[in-house]
Amino acid sequence: MILTDPDEKPSILVVEDDEQLQTALSHTLGGHGYAVAVVSDGYEGMDWLEHHGACLVLADINLPGKSGLDMLRDIRLAGNQVPVVVMSAYASVESAVQALKLGASEFLEKPFPAEKLEEVIARIKGGEPVLKPNCSTKIDDESEFVGFITRNERVQQTLKTLETVAVSQATILIQGESGTGKEVLARFVHRHSPRVNQPFVAVNCAALPEGLLESELFGYEKGAFTGALARRCGKFELAHQGTLLLDEIGEMTLALQAKLLRVLQEREVDRLGSRTPVKVDVRVIATTNRNLIQEVQAGRFREDVYYRLSVMPVTIPPLRERPEDIEVLVEHFAHQSFQRNCRVSAGITAEAMSYLKTRRWRGNVRELENVIERAVLLSGTGSLHMEHFAVEEPVMTSPTPSLQPTGSIWEMERDLIFRVLDQHGGNRTHAARTLGISIRTLRNKLREYRQLNGGVSLDV
Ligand SMILES: Nc1ncnc2c1ncn2[C@@H]1O[C@H](COP(=O)(O)OP(=O)(O)OP(=O)(O)O)[C@@H](O)[C@H]1O
Ligand SMILES: [Mg+2]
């Protein structure tokens, strides 16, 4: 963490994982008399805000741990109205809309010159946010968590069962392809449980390397390892009396699974570096897009942990197995999107609806939601027509020709990486998995493209 004048106000919190940009931003902002705190992901960012506060947050969307958008959502859900400027190098209509929807003050597409940043800050200081539409951007819990929309009988049956099970402390395992609504279902359980007014804490087990995930989950004492400057509570403790969502549990290493088993059995956690266990009362919900039984058979997932987690196993079918859900989801997302853009609901043509019903939805409900959002933006003031759905995948700008290494394999790889990133809404963890490469490799490649593209043009 780079820090200048920690006690000085006003302070700006920069949430950015790119070291070059971290330095550039703290330079620019520091030069303008701000105290600057720099952290590299949303978890650290939330931690910082909780303990020190800030007068402005500048957050990248694509981060190794909690994304800038997830952080923004948590900030607003906590009732914190601090202005948040969101930055992204892979600006898509979806990510800008999402940022706006979550209450961002501004959206900055990287790379941007220092003056642009100064302009934005001046505007926010003057109380003149640009992205704000006429209607309120405040997150409304009710509209954010509408419940699990479905007309599918099998899923409706599952919802009924879950409502009953929600009152207990039983661990629930939710399986389903990416984008099928696993997190929505987890929140559904929390909302129907007696824990509804207690925290709902989510941890993405795929986003962090083993050591970090361990300290994230279990916390640590001051001095437990180099860099542990102060005691920190883990997510189990933070979720005390509430619900802990262990997202993408299939990615957890066997060693960590052993530690998880102990918590699930004993209901107490050992902070790293501590000898005194802490009792926790937590309802655990785990999700996975892998087939965990197969993972057990392949020796990649512990059988005992599997049985502990799957006290109540639930599988959400992919959208192609519940076509009757498409119409109701389209209507729901269209309605939401019209509202968000301060427009009268203009409906959708029969032709467009039948196209959506027959289209392949590899990204399941998440893809459908994005397609509708884009169509609403493209439709101007009228209803949604076929033409608003016939959009090519966005083409990313190529590096400057003179700097571009020749060789089609390099180009194909780069194009593929950008396309997959885009399909995952800029989520590097998911994109890396789809591409079959490590997140580190992905980050290195993106850095390489950025450098070839002239690098970050912050002139400091
Ligand atoms: N049944 C549903 N009703 C309303 N919204 C839904 C439903 N299912 C999914 N969504 C929306 O679709 C998007 C994806 O859902 P969610 O994040 O829960 O999927 P997921 O299965 O956890 O995906 P991943 O495996 O990629 O993490 C979210 O924006 C969510 O609000
Ligand atoms: Mg999820």
Side-chain angles (χ1 to χ4, degrees):
M1 181 183 296
I2 308 165
L3 193 59
T4 51
D5 299 338
D7 300 322
E8 284 272 314
K9 297 270 169 176
S11 63
I12 295 185
L13 173 65
V14 173
V15 192
E16 169 63 65
D17 61 324
D18 182 313
E19 281 168 24
Q20 222 181 330
L21 200 50
Q22 285 181 346
T23 316
L25 286 168
S26 37
H27 239 85
T28 310
L29 297 169
H32 282 76
Y34 292 101
V36 187
V38 183
V39 296
S40 48
D41 82 358
Y43 291 115
E44 291 175 19
M46 289 306 289
D47 227 41
W48 177 267
L49 280 181
E50 197 182 312
H51 294 103
H52 308 274
C55 69
L56 181 100
V57 176
L58 193 57
D60 186 19
I61 290 191
N62 299 292
L63 296 165
K66 187 197 272 288
S67 80
L69 290 183
D70 286 344
M71 178 182 170
L72 173 57
R73 176 186 284 122
D74 286 357
I75 291 176
R76 295 297 181 245
L77 283 175
N80 186 341
Q81 292 307 319
V82 60
V84 177
V85 176
V86 171
M87 318 175 272
S88 179
Y90 314 98
S92 62
V93 176
E94 281 86 6
S95 50
V97 166
Q98 181 81 358
L100 165 64
K101 172 174 138 188
L102 293 171
S105 303
E106 290 268 358
F107 187 91
L108 278 176
E109 185 174 351
K110 291 186 197 170
F112 49 83
E115 299 85 62
K116 176 85 190 157
L117 178 62
E118 287 156 16
E119 227 176 75
V120 164
I121 293 176
R123 211 156 38 214
I124 291 173
K125 271 170 66 186
E128 191 199 318
V130 160
L131 267 180
K132 284 242 167 81
N134 297 328
C135 58
S136 164
T137 55
K138 187 178 150 283
I139 302 184
D140 167 356
D141 273 13
E142 287 307 314
S143 66
E144 210 25 41
F145 309 121
V146 275
F148 196 98
I149 295 173
T150 185
R151 279 191 183 155
N152 179 279
E153 271 181 31
R154 191 177 133 202
V155 181
Q156 283 172 348
Q157 198 52 49
T158 304
L159 294 181
K160 269 200 199 131
T161 314
L162 285 177
E163 270 184 55
T164 315
V165 175
V167 297
S168 74
Q169 208 200 17
T171 303
I172 297 173
L173 175 67
I174 304 175
Q175 309 196 63
E177 286 180 13
S178 181
T180 46
K182 296 185 291 294
E183 183 160 347
V184 178
L185 201 57
R187 288 181 189 271
F188 173 91
V189 171
H190 179 69
R191 277 169 63 85
H192 283 88
S193 79
R195 298 164 179 266
V196 59
N197 294 318
Q198 303 297 330
F200 177 93
V201 178
V203 182
N204 185 338
C205 303
L208 297 173
E210 184 176 5
L212 277 182
L213 180 59
E214 180 174 5
S215 58
E216 191 71 28
L217 286 173
F218 308 126
Y220 50 79
E221 292 293 330
K222 183 175 175 178
F225 49 85
T226 328
L229 301 177
R231 164 201 272 200
R232 185 168 165 182
C233 284
K235 296 293 179 188
F236 268 101
E237 279 178 80
L238 291 176
H240 185 55
Q241 297 188 328
T243 305
L244 179 67
L245 172 64
L246 297 177
D247 220 353
E248 313 203 31
I249 189 90
E251 312 303 312
M252 194 181 269
T253 59
L254 287 163
L256 212 48
Q257 288 173 31
K259 295 191 175 157
L260 174 65
L261 181 67
R262 178 170 139 64
V263 186
L264 294 175
Q265 274 171 345
E266 312 294 332
R267 297 280 159 188
E268 56 185 33
V269 289
D270 304 296
R271 281 198 198 121
L272 272 73
S274 162
R275 291 198 188 153
T276 329
V278 184
K279 281 265 171 228
V280 285
D281 162 23
V282 171
R283 136 69 68 60
V284 174
I285 302 182
T287 74
T288 177
N289 50 25
R290 299 187 179 220
N291 180 330
L292 271 198
I293 294 192
Q294 274 175 14
E295 294 297 297
V296 169
Q297 283 160 354
R300 286 189 294 262
F301 204 84
R302 287 178 65 120
E303 192 172 7
D304 44 10
V305 175
Y306 173 75
Y307 285 115
R308 280 274 163 191
L309 291 175
S310 61
V311 175
M312 177 68 209
V314 169
T315 302
I316 310 181
L319 209 44
R320 63 182 171 278
E321 286 175 23
R322 43 183 172 118
E324 63 273 46
D325 275 355
I326 294 177
E327 186 167 343
V328 60
L329 285 168
V330 166
E331 280 164 2
H332 164 70
F333 292 131
H335 177 74
Q336 261 196 344
S337 184
F338 278 125
Q339 264 203 337
R340 216 167 20 242
N341 292 287
C342 306
R343 285 182 44 193
V344 177
S345 229
I348 176 167
T349 65
E351 189 198 9
M353 183 62 98
S354 54
Y355 159 74
L356 294 176
K357 284 186 187 166
T358 50
R359 205 186 122 140
R360 285 179 70 137
W361 297 106
R362 284 204 190 85
N364 290 297
V365 185
R366 177 178 294 109
E367 185 185 2
L368 183 133
E369 184 178 7
N370 287 340
V371 164
I372 300 294
E373 186 88 55
R374 181 154 59 189
V376 168
L377 286 174
L378 291 174
S379 65
T381 52
S383 52
L384 307 182
H385 290 260
M386 268 308 287
E387 70 200 66
H388 305 129
F389 295 102
V391 186
E392 292 294 317
E393 287 294 333
V395 180
M396 303 303 292
T397 43
S398 317
T400 324
S402 60
L403 287 170
Q404 185 179 338
T406 50
S408 59
I409 292 180
W410 186 89
E411 281 173 21
M412 277 163 62
E413 181 185 271
R414 180 203 59 200
D415 293 349
L416 178 68
I417 285 178
F418 280 132
R419 224 176 24 246
V420 172
L421 255 174
D422 202 70
Q423 276 165 7
H424 288 281
N427 184 320
R428 292 185 193 182
T429 313
H430 289 178
R433 189 165 335 121
T434 304
L435 288 161
I437 58 178
S438 73
I439 188 147
R440 176 181 294 266
T441 307
L442 178 60
R443 278 165 64 184
N444 289 341
K445 288 196 182 292
L446 292 174
R447 185 162 295 151
E448 178 191 330
Y449 304 148
R450 204 155 52 218
Q451 277 159 3
L452 282 171
N453 208 12
V456 177
S457 69
L458 263 181
D459 48 9
V460 287

